[in-house]
Amino acid sequence: FLPITTRRGIEGVFGPGVESTDNVLAARRMRTLATLATVPCARDVNAAFEALLAALEGNPHDVPFAAAYEINATQKQARLKSTLHVESGSAIAPYVVDLRSPRAAWPFGHVFDTGASLLVSDLAARFDTSKLGPGPEPTSEALVYPIAGSPPGGVFIVGLNRRRVLDSAYRDFLDLLASQINAGILEAQAFTMSRKRVDALAEANRVKTELFSNVSHEFRTPLTLIVGPLDRALAQRAHLPAAVVSDLDV
C-alpha cells in the first residue's frame, strides 16, 4: 500500500493487486500431472485402474470425484474398476452399466459409439449430489472420456469443480489427465498380453514335450519286440541267403 501525497499531505492510498489465481491453478494441476506420471506400470489392468485414480486423490478441487470402467464390447456392458471420492456400487458408481439401456446411470453407449468425450451436465437429475464435491456447492457436471483403445475398452469419469468455469485451461488439464490414464491402461494391457503370450508358449512347449514323451514310450515297446528277433535272425546270417540278410540289415 502506497501513500498518495500532495502539498496538503497524504490524501489517499494506492493499493495495487496482482491476480495469482492462474498461477496457483497451474501449479496445482502440474503437481497432479507429475504425480500421475510417476505411477509405475501395473502388472494387470485392475491394479492400473486403482493406482492411477489413487494418484488423483491429492487434488479434490480440480478432480472432485472420478470413476473408471472397463468395457466388454461383446456383452455391451461397462464394469466398475475403481473410484475416487465416491462409493463403489452407489447410484453414481454402479458396478455394471448397460451401454444400450436408455435408463443407464451414465451415457457410456454414446461415448463408446462416437469415441469422443462427453460433458454430462445433469448430475443433479441423475443422482443425489448433495455431498458431491469439496465445496458447499455440490458438483453438477462431469466429463466422460473414452480410454483404452479404439473402439474404447473403457471410460474415465471426472467430476468438475462447481466454482471453476470449464475454460480452455481447465479442459486442457482434464484432457491431459485422461490421456495419461489412457496411456497407463494401455501399458498394463500390453504387459498382460505379453505375459499371456509367454504363458501360452510355455504351455505349448509343455504339451509338445509331453506328446513326444508319450510317442517315444509308445514306439519303444513295439520296436524292442521287433529288434530282438531281428538280432537273433542276423546272428544266423551264415545260414541265410544273401538277399534275406540284406533285407534284415535294412
Side-chain angles (χ1 to χ4, degrees):
F1 294 94
L2 306 175
I4 300 175
T5 59
T6 67
R7 295 172 185 173
R8 294 188 297 271
I10 298 176
E11 296 197 50
V13 176
F14 174 57
V18 178
E19 175 59 64
S20 61
T21 302
D22 289 341
N23 295 334
V24 172
L25 291 176
R28 185 174 71 199
R29 292 166 181 173
M30 284 301 297
R31 284 195 301 269
T32 301
L33 293 173
T35 302
L36 194 59
T38 61
V39 175
C41 176
R43 296 303 180 104
D44 62 76
V45 175
N46 292 336
F49 277 118
E50 290 285 348
L52 291 168
L53 262 66
L56 307 178
E57 190 167 4
N59 188 357
H61 298 289
D62 290 312
V63 186
F65 76 93
Y69 284 77
E70 188 174 28
I71 291 178
N72 186 317
T74 303
Q75 298 178 354
K76 295 296 186 292
Q77 288 183 338
R79 296 189 176 275
L80 182 66
K81 290 299 177 182
S82 184
T83 62
L84 177 69
H85 302 315
V86 289
E87 184 179 355
S88 297
S90 60
I92 198 170
Y95 290 115
V96 179
V97 175
D98 188 347
L99 269 61
R100 297 307 178 206
S101 173
R103 297 182 179 180
W106 292 96
F108 292 162
H110 178 80
V111 176
F112 179 79
D113 292 338
T114 62
S117 59
L118 178 67
L119 177 63
V120 180
S121 302
D122 59 345
L123 294 189
R126 292 172 176 267
F127 318 108
D128 177 13
T129 59
S130 57
K131 298 181 180 180
L132 200 61
E137 303 92 350
T139 300
S140 60
E141 294 182 317
L143 274 168
V144 181
Y145 285 93
I147 58 173
S150 179
V155 288
F156 168 60
I157 306 170
V158 56
L160 305 183
N161 190 328
R162 182 71 177 268
R163 294 190 171 189
R164 298 303 311 168
V165 176
L166 187 60
D167 54 14
S168 59
Y170 196 4
R171 183 62 186 255
D172 289 344
F173 163 72
L174 295 176
D175 289 349
L176 287 172
L177 205 68
S179 178
Q180 284 190 252
I181 289 177
N182 178 63
I185 298 302
L186 290 177
E187 191 174 9
Q189 287 179 340
F191 182 89
T192 301
M193 291 299 296
S194 176
R195 186 175 60 186
K196 286 182 178 179
R197 283 195 295 268
V198 170
D199 292 344
L201 287 174
E203 177 65 14
N205 286 332
R206 185 193 66 78
V207 172
K208 182 172 65 176
T209 302
E210 183 178 346
L211 173 64
F212 287 157
S213 298
N214 291 338
V215 169
S216 175
H217 175 75
E218 293 298 328
F219 278 160
R220 189 177 298 115
T221 300
L223 288 176
T224 300
L225 294 176
I226 294 171
V227 171
L230 282 174
D231 287 340
R232 289 194 297 273
L234 286 172
Q236 307 294 326
R237 66 175 61 233
H239 305 289
L240 298 173
V244 174
V245 173
S246 177
D247 288 343
L248 293 178
D249 281 334
V250 171

